[in-house]
Amino acid sequence: MRTRGVDVARAKLRRSRRTHTVIRILLVACLALLGACVAHPATTTAPPAAVSDSAQWEPDIAAFEQADSVVRRRPGGVVFVGSSSIRLWDSIPDDFPGVPIINRGFGGSRVRDSTYYADRIVTPYSPSAIVFYAGDNDLYEGRTPKQVRDDFAAFVDKVRKQLPRTRIAFVSIKPSPSRAALLPQIREANALVREFAQQSEGVDYLDVFLPMLDAQGQPREELFVADRLHMNASGYAIWAGVVRPWLAAQPTP
C-alpha cells in the first residue's frame, strides 16, 4: 500500500511539472508577443466614411445631356456646377443678366462627384469661367477638411487638362444652421481651399461664409428655408453679390 501511495505521489508530481512547463511556455510566448507590439506599435487608422458611389447621379447627368441635345451650348459661357445649392439657384438668370449661364448643380453631390462627371457636364461647354460649390455634404458625411481641399484640387486638375485657360471660382462652404456643429471643419476646409487658390493660377476663392454669419459668429437663420440647410432669396442675394464682381472681372471670351 505504501509503494502504491508513493507511485501516486510521483505521478502527481510529474503532472504538476508538465503543467508548470506549459504555463512557462505560454508566459514566454505572451511576453514575446507583447515585446513585438511595443517594438512595432499597430497603426490605428479610422475607417473611411461610408460614401455613396458617384454613379448614383447618373440619371441627373443623363438628363443634362438630354437637355443639351435640344439646346445648343455655345463656347464661352459660365458653368455653375456643384451640389443642390447650385441646383436650387433659380434666380441665376436675373442675378447675372446678359451672362450665358449653364446650371449644372445636381442633388446632394460632393466635390468628387463634380470631378467624376466633369468631362460630361463641364468641359464639353468650353466655358470661359466656372463657379463651383460643394463641400458641406462632404464634411457632413465624414470627409476631412484636407480631403475636401484635395478633392477640389483634383477637380481643378481634371478641368485644366481640357481647359487650361478657364478661370475657376470656389464659392466657400456656407454656414447652414442645421449643420452648425460642423463650423470648425467648415472654417478649416475654407481656409485650406483659399490657400490652394492663392497658390494656383486661374483659381479664386469667393467668400460667402463670413457674410452669412451673425454678430455672434453663428449662421443667420433668416437666410435659410425651413430645412435650415438650403437658402432662400436673401441667402442667394449674398451669393450673387459676391460672385457678380468676380464674373465682371473675367475677360470676355
Side-chain angles (χ1 to χ4, degrees), residues 54 57 61 77-87 89 92 96 101-119 121-123 127-139 143 145 147-160 163 166-174 189-190 193-194 196-197 202-209 231 236 239-240 242-244 246-247 250:
S54 294
W57 307 115
I61 306 307
V78 178
V79 171
F80 281 63
V81 66
S83 65
S84 56
S85 292
I86 294 293
R87 177 176 60 85
W89 196 344
I92 278 186
F96 308 99
I101 289 175
I102 304 171
N103 188 321
R104 288 297 174 260
F106 55 106
S109 60
R110 294 73 49 95
V111 176
R112 63 190 180 280
D113 296 322
S114 290
T115 304
Y116 184 82
Y117 289 112
D119 57 352
I121 62 171
V122 178
T123 57
S128 60
I130 298 168
V131 177
F132 183 97
Y133 180 81
D136 50 352
N137 292 326
D138 309 56
L139 296 174
R143 299 288 281 179
Q147 287 175 318
V148 171
R149 185 271 315 277
D150 292 345
D151 289 344
F152 177 63
F155 173 83
V156 172
D157 183 63
K158 187 171 184 178
V159 169
R160 281 280 178 266
L163 307 170
T166 296
R167 295 194 66 85
I168 303 172
F170 181 94
V171 177
S172 65
I173 303 173
K174 70 183 189 298
N190 283 338
V193 174
R194 181 173 61 244
F196 167 76
V203 180
D204 295 294
Y205 171 87
L206 305 183
D207 186 12
V208 300
F209 179 83
M231 295 178 293
Y236 280 114
W239 281 35
V242 173
V243 176
R244 193 180 295 117
W246 180 80
L247 279 181
Q250 303 312 308

Side-chain angles (χ1 to χ4, degrees), residues 23-227:
I23 292 174
R24 285 198 299 270
I25 292 172
L26 290 174
L27 285 174
V28 171
C30 289
L31 289 173
L33 288 173
L34 180 61
C37 290
V38 173
H40 303 285
T43 300
T44 302
T45 303
V51 295
S52 301
D53 193 292
S54 294
Q56 68 175 303
W57 307 115
E58 179 61 32
D60 299 78
I61 306 307
F64 290 145
E65 292 175 330
Q66 174 61 28
D68 291 339
S69 69
V70 297
V71 177
R72 182 182 179 186
R73 308 290 185 181
R74 294 186 177 182
V78 178
V79 171
F80 281 63
V81 66
S83 65
S84 56
S85 292
I86 294 293
R87 177 176 60 85
L88 297 172
W89 196 344
D90 296 331
S91 63
I92 278 186
D94 297 326
D95 291 334
F96 308 99
V99 178
I101 289 175
I102 304 171
N103 188 321
R104 288 297 174 260
F106 55 106
S109 60
R110 294 73 49 95
V111 176
R112 63 190 180 280
D113 296 322
S114 290
T115 304
Y116 184 82
Y117 289 112
D119 57 352
R120 294 172 63 184
I121 62 171
V122 178
T123 57
Y125 308 122
S126 298
S128 60
I130 298 168
V131 177
F132 183 97
Y133 180 81
D136 50 352
N137 292 326
D138 309 56
L139 296 174
Y140 181 72
E141 290 186 359
R143 299 288 281 179
T144 67
K146 289 182 179 179
Q147 287 175 318
V148 171
R149 185 271 315 277
D150 292 345
D151 289 344
F152 177 63
F155 173 83
V156 172
D157 183 63
K158 187 171 184 178
V159 169
R160 281 280 178 266
K161 291 177 180 178
Q162 299 294 325
L163 307 170
R165 295 177 8 182
T166 296
R167 295 194 66 85
I168 303 172
F170 181 94
V171 177
S172 65
I173 303 173
K174 70 183 189 298
S176 301
S178 67
R179 294 179 178 175
L182 292 174
L183 283 178
Q185 294 97 310
I186 292 174
R187 291 180 187 274
E188 184 180 353
N190 283 338
L192 288 171
V193 174
R194 181 173 61 244
E195 181 181 11
F196 167 76
Q198 291 171 344
Q199 299 173 355
S200 304
E201 182 69 25
V203 180
D204 295 294
Y205 171 87
L206 305 183
D207 186 12
V208 300
F209 179 83
L210 288 178
M212 298 183 73
L213 297 176
D214 62 21
Q216 288 71 45
Q218 294 299 308
R220 293 168 57 186
E221 294 273 358
E222 74 273 13
L223 302 178
F224 294 83
V225 297
D227 67 3

